[in-house]
Amino acid sequence: MTAPYGVREALGDEDREACFAVRREVFVEEQGVPQEIEYDAYDATAVHVLAVGADGLPLGTGRLLHGADAVGKTGADASVGSLGRLAVAKAARGLGVGAALVRGIEDVARERGLSAVDLHAQTHALGFYERLGYVAYGPEFPDAGMPHRAMRRAL
């Protein structure tokens, strides 16, 4: 039996549009994040990862900021990447897509020589990331009107 989906680095405009479509569904439509803050200048230089179903439909996405782009989010440590914009389409939840995306982003971070990955988790998702080896640090803070905590996992 083949896996119901695959995870890969997004390459080309079509893949990037698929990533943006999942983010629009999850963050803008479901969670009410204003579209003008969902997409930012980092999208141009981030590594985007895409989960695609066996039928070719996009199921989830996430991105990795690295180098100068990540420094403002990781406490100025250039060896740490910043995982963000992790989103799984409603129809694909419960299939392990989110965990597979996180592992895919970690693989991309390792390929780029990073020592750890940071992320800013919505507080309701802390348990999900803790199960994947991330540890929360610092105080809770608002982002797009929702409570978040910073988390890190060494690679």
Side-chain angles (χ1 to χ4, degrees):
M1 182 173 144
T2 58
Y5 59 85
V7 173
R8 60 181 163 80
E9 191 171 324
L11 301 170
D13 292 340
E14 192 175 320
D15 279 359
R16 291 170 69 84
E17 284 308 313
C19 292
F20 294 162
V22 173
R23 285 170 47 186
R24 191 166 36 255
E25 174 191 330
V26 173
F27 296 124
V28 178
E29 295 168 16
E30 275 185 48
Q31 297 184 355
V33 174
Q35 191 155 312
E36 57 273 12
I37 66 170
E38 173 51 33
Y39 307 99
D40 59 26
Y42 296 121
D43 281 326
T45 53
V47 179
H48 299 269
V49 175
L50 178 64
V52 180
D55 58 4
L57 290 176
L59 302 178
T61 188
R63 74 179 186 186
L64 177 74
L65 303 183
H66 54 93
D69 288 348
V71 166
K73 298 177 180 286
T74 61
D77 186 340
S79 73
V80 178
S82 177
L83 183 159
R85 302 302 202 269
L86 189 75
V88 175
K90 191 177 263 184
R93 292 182 192 151
L95 303 176
V97 174
L101 284 164
V102 170
R103 294 303 184 224
I105 290 167
E106 291 169 352
D107 290 344
V108 166
R110 277 188 205 90
E111 289 166 11
R112 283 159 175 76
L114 301 177
S115 65
V117 173
D118 266 21
L119 58 87
H120 293 164
Q122 293 179 14
T123 53
H124 71 81
L126 287 171
F128 167 78
Y129 290 111
E130 287 168 346
R131 287 188 294 278
L132 294 174
Y134 287 79
V135 177
Y137 67 90
E140 190 175 290
F141 60 92
D143 188 4
M146 292 172 268
H148 284 68
R149 293 269 320 268
M151 302 185 84
R152 177 171 290 183
R153 179 173 187 260
L155 298 177

